[in-house]
Amino acid sequence: MLMFQTHCYDSWLGGAARTSTFELTSQFGGTLPAPLFLFLAGISFALVTDRMRKKNISANQIAVTTIRRGAEILGFGLLFRVQEFLLGQPGAPWTDLLRVDVLNIIGVSMMLMGVACRLTSTRRSGAILAAAVAVLIAVATPPLWTTHRPRFLPWYLESYINGVHIFDKPQAWLFPLFPWAAFAFAGLAAGWAIVGGWPKKRRFWFLGFAAAGVAMYVLAMRLDANPIHIYAVYDFWHSSPNFWLARTGVIFVLVGVSYAWCEWGLGARGFRPLLQLGKTSLLVYWVHIEFVYGRFSILPKRAETIPQATAGLIVIFLCMLALSVARTGFKNGPPEIFDRLPWRMGRPFQAGEARSR
């Protein structure tokens, strides 16, 4: 939802609306979707790896499977760049084919997490290693962006380190390993904690996540306010470990809120569109881009008022939800989104439906 609103308002708002407080707030919310995608990729990685370990699959096979999946996502990212390049003709430069976007870095991060999981054999050691790697990536980001750039690499490889692309300095709108992979490893550490036994024994475990998130955010703000900095160049909003820590804190809070929402909130009582979209996040990401930013934009770009752009956002949301439902299909009964609608509540399971629900 944060991604949809950020992209829609950025693409469609025009005139005075582009400099309004509303637009600024929308773009501020847009700083969270990419970290959330990477963080959730880390959590999913821990869940999948733990499931394979319980099936006594060998460590080498787990590594091969997970690294291959990361390579697959990277391939999708490169394919997406080809699509954007072709649809952007005649104006798109060939260098856009090698731009480091969010799908690219999710794929590379998953491959690195596959290596990390091969080096550990328990949940605890996996969580410790993942947390250490996340911190190391965040701490190493500022010098790799400024004083210790790997200039000896070709620009398309250096871009995976710091997002320099074809420019003379790293670009904040790209997604290099430093610092973005740190969110994936933070998610991996959180995922190992979630699959452990203590969440099942303690129903209010999510409060610990939320409290840890608040503590991270407060610590980040205090460190930023400290006049003593260890880096030659300090840029809070782009490369600082403090900004990474603050955003990770917000994500931890959202993990707690999400659990409470699904356990006791509206998510436990009825319509679940966000869970449905989450099942096909790659698909809806890929498709919505073309209908918001691409040649097939459903509204004129940079020409709409806030109400008009909001109407377009609602249309995009509903269309992507319909696409998601169509993608998951009705193979094992109606998708999750329909499970708790009033006329289905209390209905006995039919043959072929997943009783685990």
Side-chain angles (χ1 to χ4, degrees):
M1 281 301 297
L2 286 168
M3 176 183 69
F4 286 163
Q5 68 86 24
T6 301
H7 290 167
C8 289
Y9 290 129
D10 178 61
S11 176
W12 296 332
L13 286 183
R18 294 201 66 81
T19 56
S20 64
T21 302
F22 182 90
E23 168 67 357
L24 292 176
T25 303
S26 168
Q27 294 306 302
F28 183 76
T31 63
L32 283 175
L36 279 168
F37 274 124
L38 284 154
F39 187 85
L40 292 174
I43 288 183
S44 299
F45 203 93
L47 295 173
V48 170
T49 302
D50 186 65
R51 189 180 304 123
M52 287 193 288
R53 286 179 178 176
K54 289 178 179 178
K55 293 180 179 179
N56 295 320
I57 298 176
S58 69
N60 286 336
Q61 185 58 45
I62 291 174
V64 169
T65 301
T66 52
I67 292 173
R68 183 181 298 160
R69 177 56 177 165
E72 188 177 295
I73 298 297
L74 174 61
F76 280 131
L78 296 173
L79 184 61
F80 181 70
R81 294 260 50 86
V82 173
Q83 173 187 292
E84 293 296 286
F85 173 73
L86 294 176
L87 292 176
Q89 292 306 314
W94 71 268
T95 52
D96 277 2
L97 292 169
L98 301 176
R99 198 171 77 191
V100 182
D101 215 331
V102 66
L103 285 181
N104 303 58
I105 218 59
I106 289 176
V108 175
S109 297
M110 289 178 67
M111 295 169 72
L112 293 175
M113 288 190 291
V115 174
C117 287
R118 178 62 183 86
L119 299 176
T120 60
S121 58
T122 65
R123 295 164 179 164
R124 177 175 296 181
S125 61
I128 292 173
L129 177 60
V133 172
V135 172
L136 180 63
I137 291 173
V139 169
T141 296
L144 288 174
W145 277 48
T146 54
T147 55
H148 290 77
R149 276 180 51 190
R151 300 174 186 272
F152 57 89
L153 293 174
W155 66 264
Y156 47 86
L157 293 182
E158 184 185 354
S159 194
Y160 274 86
I161 302 298
N162 54 28
V164 68
H165 199 51
I166 59 173
F167 305 102
D168 61 342
K169 62 181 180 179
Q171 303 297 300
W173 48 276
L174 294 177
F175 298 91
L177 280 169
F178 297 84
W180 292 98
F183 292 107
F185 277 94
L188 181 60
W192 283 126
I194 290 174
V195 299
W198 65 271
K200 299 176 183 177
K201 297 176 182 178
R202 297 170 176 81
R203 192 178 185 188
F204 294 97
W205 64 269
F206 70 94
L207 293 177
F209 261 69
V214 172
M216 283 187 237
Y217 187 86
V218 171
L219 177 61
M221 294 301 101
R222 291 194 174 182
L223 289 174
D224 180 60
N226 192 328
I228 301 176
H229 296 293
I230 64 174
Y231 299 107
V233 180
Y234 181 75
D235 184 349
F236 176 80
W237 291 105
H238 299 128
S239 62
S240 167
N242 297 330
F243 188 37
W244 170 81
L245 185 62
R247 284 194 286 186
T248 303
V250 172
I251 292 172
F252 267 64
V253 172
L254 288 176
V255 169
V257 171
S258 298
Y259 178 83
W261 176 268
C262 291
E263 187 72 12
W264 299 291
L266 293 178
R269 296 189 178 92
F271 203 49
R272 291 183 169 186
L274 299 186
L275 293 185
Q276 177 62 39
L277 286 170
K279 294 179 179 181
T280 58
S281 56
L282 176 59
L283 176 65
V284 298
Y285 167 81
W286 193 310
V287 174
H288 95 280
I289 286 288
E290 288 306 319
F291 292 97
V292 175
Y293 281 117
R295 183 171 296 181
F296 306 108
S297 176
I298 65 172
L299 290 176
K301 299 173 186 175
R302 302 204 171 197
E304 304 298 324
T305 63
I306 292 175
Q308 290 169 332
T310 301
L313 169 60
I314 294 172
V315 171
I316 286 292
F317 174 80
L318 294 176
C319 288
M320 293 304 102
L321 185 59
L323 176 64
S324 178
V325 170
R327 174 64 181 84
T328 55
F330 291 80
K331 182 177 180 180
N332 293 316
E336 175 78 27
I337 190 173
F338 295 127
D339 278 355
R340 294 177 179 268
L341 289 174
W343 54 86
R344 286 181 55 82
M345 294 293 286
R347 184 183 66 80
F349 282 102
Q350 301 297 320
E353 290 193 27
R355 294 180 180 276
S356 60
R357 292 178 183 174

